[in-house]
Amino acid sequence: MNLPDTAALLYQATSRLNKTSDTPALDAELLLCAVCGIDRSAVTCDQSLVLTNRQRDFFSTLINRRAAGEPIAYLLQRKEFWSQELLVSPEVLIPRPETELLVEQALEHLPDQPCNVADLGTGSGAIALAIASERPNVQVTATDISQSALEVAMKNAVRLGVQNVTFRQGDWFTPLADQHYRLIVSNPPYVRVGDPRLEVGTLYEPVDALLSGYDGLDALRVICAAARRYLDHQGVLILEHACDQKIAVHELLSQGGFETIVCNTDLAGKPRVTWGRREK
Ligand code: GLN
């Protein structure tokens, strides 16, 4: 078979990725574009593009890493969330599409007037930056215990030109000082011990951003217990959680003094985001 250069490379790479990826051809194209610094349309229109030896070696390294299971977002160092392109690195969780539900809920709860919002455990900054860019009159404080995660988030803020987010390092509420917030949002770690996603060799994301004790509820317990005193009257706490944690999260919010509690389902119809309002 006498295929032009990139067509042959893409064909071989796609067959290598068949076992690992649900989208092998797309992954191969995206990695080729990253290696050559070109758009996807350029690859599909011109398959006679010839790679230098260095580009060819780099492409083959990336395909091997992808074939071994490394997420495409880490290889590309990019992930799209809420129509914004975010930088991601293994210091941060890769933003998931279902987390956009949390952003939607946050925007629905925000009043038109300026107010304070906190995002606990911001990681790449995905949630904080989405809310801040949608509502320039809101002041968002984004916290994370990991300084290296915050560095990724701060780079994202600069790249996206978002100026109404302040980043602070520390555990959950510790960096919030004595301020009060209209809205507190969080996608904390909620995976339980023993979950197959945490197996060594398959885990590329930071374990601290996923794992949260034997039942996955350790972080949610801390947040639900302390949030009320950081909220304004009528302030709302919005949390992402696993689909089988709906009842437990309802219970934790109720124990934390939240009067109105509502759970919403994600696009797959699974309970995914619960909010609680401080009524008094
Ligand atoms: N949604 C992620 C997953 O299921 C977990 C994210 C989290 O723990 N916050 O892999």
Side-chain angles (χ1 to χ4, degrees):
M1 200 164 31
N2 191 15
L3 290 172
D5 194 66
T6 45
L9 271 183
L10 283 172
Y11 178 81
Q12 286 158 8
T14 302
S15 0
R16 273 225 65 202
L17 298 183
N18 261 332
K19 279 207 198 96
T20 324
S21 173
D22 294 337
T23 52
L26 175 64
D27 290 7
E29 273 183 27
L30 291 173
L31 292 172
L32 188 73
C33 293
V35 165
C36 300
I38 52 173
D39 282 350
R40 246 184 99 211
S41 57
V43 176
T44 28
C45 297
D46 178 15
Q47 295 215 332
S48 59
L49 175 84
V50 177
L51 275 68
T52 64
N53 284 342
R54 262 185 84 185
Q55 286 173 327
R56 196 181 274 269
D57 288 349
F58 187 32
F59 181 61
S60 131
T61 306
L62 291 178
I63 292 294
N64 287 338
R65 285 168 61 183
R66 182 74 192 107
E70 198 164 335
I72 187 84
Y74 287 153
L75 296 172
L76 298 171
Q77 300 170 17
R78 304 273 187 284
K79 177 74 186 180
E80 187 97 4
F81 181 85
W82 200 262
S83 315
Q84 294 183 321
E85 190 190 74
L86 297 170
L87 294 178
V88 291
S89 76
E91 272 80 39
V92 299
L93 190 77
I94 299 166
R96 313 282 202 265
E98 57 268 27
T99 303
E100 294 187 342
L101 173 65
L102 194 153
V103 175
E104 273 169 30
Q105 298 282 302
L107 296 175
E108 276 176 29
H109 283 282
L110 278 174
D112 290 335
Q113 309 88 292
C115 64
N116 291 327
V117 174
D119 173 26
L120 309 181
T122 195
S124 64
I127 299 169
L129 293 167
I131 295 173
S133 60
E134 291 285 344
R135 297 294 178 85
N137 65 346
V138 154
Q139 188 55 47
V140 183
T141 304
T143 76
D144 207 292
I145 197 163
S146 157
Q147 184 59 35
S148 42
L150 281 181
E151 273 155 32
V152 175
M154 287 189 273
K155 272 192 208 152
N156 279 322
V158 172
R159 268 169 55 95
L160 297 170
V162 175
Q163 293 181 345
N164 49 331
V165 183
T166 309
F167 296 94
R168 298 204 194 134
Q169 193 268 330
D171 200 21
W172 305 128
F173 297 92
T174 318
L176 297 189
D178 290 332
Q179 248 180 296
H180 280 80
Y181 297 83
R182 175 68 192 203
L183 200 64
I184 299 178
V185 297
S186 185
N187 172 22
Y190 54 71
V191 175
R192 57 172 60 87
V193 169
D195 187 296
R197 277 169 302 177
L198 302 173
E199 266 167 41
V200 179
T202 60
L203 183 64
Y204 286 89
E205 296 184 280
V207 69
D208 292 342
L210 290 165
L211 177 65
S212 201
Y214 75 97
D215 58 359
L217 290 167
D218 282 3
L220 286 160
R221 263 185 215 101
V222 172
I223 295 171
C224 292
R228 194 174 189 278
R229 78 177 98 110
Y230 293 91
L231 284 170
D232 297 333
H233 294 287
Q234 305 288 312
V236 175
L237 170 65
I238 312 183
L239 298 167
E240 182 173 319
H241 53 78
C243 50
D244 58 357
Q245 291 170 336
K246 172 183 167 176
I247 295 170
V249 171
H250 188 109
E251 186 63 19
L252 290 174
L253 283 168
S254 167
Q255 284 164 12
F258 288 89
E259 284 97 354
T260 310
I261 301 168
V262 175
C263 180
N264 290 286
T265 51
D266 63 19
L267 288 175
K270 302 206 169 129
R272 177 66 60 192
V273 170
T274 298
W275 61 262
R277 188 163 51 217
R278 171 183 177 167
E279 302 294 358
K280 294 189 281 272

